[in-house]
Amino acid sequence: MDLDVVNMFVIAGGTLAIPILAFVASFLLWPSALIKIYYWYWRRTLGMQVRYAHHEDYQFCYSFRGRPGHKPTILMLHGFSAHKDMWLSVVKFLPKNLHLVCVDMPGHEGTTRSSLDDLSIDGQVKRIHQFVELLKLNKKPFHLVGTSMGGHVAGVYAAYYPSDICSLSLVCPAGLQYSTDNQFVQRLKELQESAAIEKIPLIPSTPEEMSEMLQLCSYVRFKVPQQILQGLVDVRIPHNDFYRKLFLEIVSEKSRHSLHQNMDKIKVPTQIIWGKQDQVLDVSGADMLAKSIANCQVELLENCGHSVVMERPRKTAKLIVDFLASVHNTDNNKKLD
């Protein structure tokens, strides 16, 4: 090999050594910082911009892409203890000509967390309505998407504010009343009876508990490095007291079955997406909703658990886009008749 070429590799190796070592050090020593950088990178890559909106002294944090057009805006509500960036895996597969808005739910990430805030499902619905009014998203009916707790809020929102939305997608939503409890719910009831709220499976405080939560929520078994598990825990631990307070509120008598109590009031075209192997919220909930909502389509995903958005992002995006197209085309045909 030519000496000049050898020198080039030596120089290149020396030049690359510093950023590579910095990356490894970050991965080993500050995994939580690396996770934040990861989300920042994907928001930037996908064209999602972060903004803030204020209602008096209350702040909403949200990300968006695109502008309102002839197609409905899509507002996306995340689940318990998550944040707006959980939708990035779905956003990746959504057309760039859609106006997308992903908001941090009350008390999560960049949205105000206040001890005075009403964290019940009704309280969260009212907060989301404030956000919608602030951004004037309801100037024209929009499409509302919610998953898990966010699906619970989205469904009740559709019942309370029917004129705001044109259609609805509920992804394995909470808030339904089942005739029998699954293993997860039985375990929760046992924890409540023993007052062991620090052991709620959805609020991990160690890498081992984080791994157990991922296995509970996902059918796909992700091989997550210990450092990343530690980083995920480190990011969550400062918020765990809030998550416990929120969890106890949304499973209270006041909120637990809010969607069930209001599902017959949902009048807009509705799409239900559910993983068949969901261990958190039983898939039979899809049939309950289909029987109560007049214009309802159900999509059950094989080999998929509760974390539909993370496990099947491409499929989720396609289902939403296809559903919107069918509703939109139907509306146009009615106008022509």
Side-chain angles (χ1 to χ4, degrees), residues 76-101:
M76 313 177 91
L77 308 182
H78 65 74
F80 171 78
S81 77
H83 47 75
K84 61 187 175 299
D85 292 332
M86 73 161 287
W87 292 107
L88 291 175
S89 56
V90 173
V91 167
K92 178 181 177 182
F93 299 107
L94 290 173
K96 292 187 177 179
N97 63 344
L98 293 175
H99 180 220
L100 309 177
V101 180

Side-chain angles (χ1 to χ4, degrees), residues 122-139:
D122 274 17
Q124 293 191 61
V125 168
K126 289 172 185 174
R127 279 297 187 195
I128 295 302
H129 188 245
Q130 284 179 353
F131 175 72
V132 166
E133 296 268 292
L134 279 173
L135 267 63
K136 296 182 171 58
L137 295 179
N138 55 355
K139 187 174 181 180

Side-chain angles (χ1 to χ4, degrees), residues 43-334:
R43 282 198 306 269
R44 186 178 177 87
T45 300
L46 297 173
M48 295 293 286
Q49 301 179 56
V50 175
R51 293 289 184 273
Y52 299 89
H54 296 86
H55 175 81
E56 297 175 352
D57 60 347
Y58 194 90
Q59 173 180 278
F60 294 96
C61 180
Y62 66 99
S63 60
F64 78 98
R65 185 174 77 185
R67 295 182 179 181
H70 69 281
K71 294 183 179 180
T73 290
I74 300 179
L75 173 60
M76 313 177 91
L77 308 182
H78 65 74
F80 171 78
S81 77
H83 47 75
K84 61 187 175 299
D85 292 332
M86 73 161 287
W87 292 107
L88 291 175
S89 56
V90 173
V91 167
K92 178 181 177 182
F93 299 107
L94 290 173
K96 292 187 177 179
N97 63 344
L98 293 175
H99 180 220
L100 309 177
V101 180
C102 305
V103 63
D104 285 326
M105 297 293 282
H108 291 74
E109 197 77 4
T111 291
T112 295
R113 179 178 300 171
S114 168
S115 59
L116 302 176
D117 214 11
D118 180 3
L119 297 174
S120 68
I121 294 301
D122 274 17
Q124 293 191 61
V125 168
K126 289 172 185 174
R127 279 297 187 195
I128 295 302
H129 188 245
Q130 284 179 353
F131 175 72
V132 166
E133 296 268 292
L134 279 173
L135 267 63
K136 296 182 171 58
L137 295 179
N138 55 355
K139 187 174 181 180
K140 174 183 172 184
F142 60 90
H143 180 70
L144 183 58
V145 183
T147 184
S148 198
M149 181 192 77
H152 194 170
V153 173
V156 177
Y157 189 105
Y160 287 4
Y161 304 102
S163 63
D164 278 11
I165 66 174
C166 60
S167 47
L168 177 69
S169 290
L170 301 180
V171 184
C172 49
L176 296 174
Q177 188 169 2
Y178 295 88
S179 56
T180 57
D181 295 332
N182 64 12
Q183 287 185 346
F184 172 71
V185 175
Q186 288 174 10
R187 184 179 173 192
L188 285 181
K189 287 184 175 179
E190 290 170 2
L191 290 172
Q192 283 182 302
E193 289 171 3
S194 63
I197 61 169
E198 71 281 356
K199 295 296 183 181
I200 296 171
L202 297 179
I203 309 177
S205 55
T206 67
E208 292 72 27
E209 290 175 355
M210 174 60 71
S211 180
E212 288 173 8
M213 187 190 80
L214 293 176
Q215 290 181 29
L216 171 69
C217 294
S218 303
Y219 175 79
V220 177
R221 292 293 177 255
F222 297 105
K223 292 183 179 179
V224 184
Q226 182 73 10
Q227 289 85 355
I228 292 297
L229 289 172
Q230 185 64 59
L232 291 169
V233 170
D234 290 345
V235 168
R236 296 172 65 99
I237 282 178
H239 310 289
N240 276 356
D241 286 344
F242 166 75
Y243 293 152
R244 290 188 188 97
K245 179 182 177 182
L246 171 62
F247 187 84
L248 292 176
E249 185 62 55
I250 61 178
V251 299
S252 69
E253 201 65 36
K254 178 182 178 181
S255 292
R256 185 181 305 168
H257 302 134
S258 290
L259 177 56
H260 200 102
Q261 293 158 4
N262 289 281
M263 59 186 175
D264 60 340
K265 299 173 188 171
I266 298 173
K267 304 303 180 187
V268 295
T270 300
Q271 174 186 53
I272 310 298
I273 304 173
W274 217 304
K276 281 191 176 182
Q277 284 73 35
D278 193 332
Q279 299 178 76
V280 178
L281 298 169
D282 195 83
V283 67
S284 60
D287 190 50
M288 278 189 242
L289 289 164
K291 288 177 179 176
S292 296
I293 302 172
N295 190 351
C296 187
Q297 296 180 21
V298 174
E299 303 287 350
L300 303 182
L301 306 186
E302 290 281 1
N303 302 323
C304 184
H306 185 64
S307 300
V308 174
V309 172
M310 303 302 294
E311 294 181 74
R312 305 291 288 278
R314 185 192 296 269
K315 181 67 173 178
T316 302
K318 184 179 187 307
L319 288 172
I320 291 172
V321 170
D322 290 349
F323 176 68
L324 272 175
S326 68
V327 171
H328 185 69
N329 289 339
T330 300
D331 288 345
N332 283 344
N333 290 338
K334 285 181 180 178

Side-chain angles (χ1 to χ4, degrees), residues 4 6-17:
D4 290 335
V6 174
N7 287 338
M8 180 183 73
F9 275 100
V10 170
I11 294 170
T15 303
L16 290 172

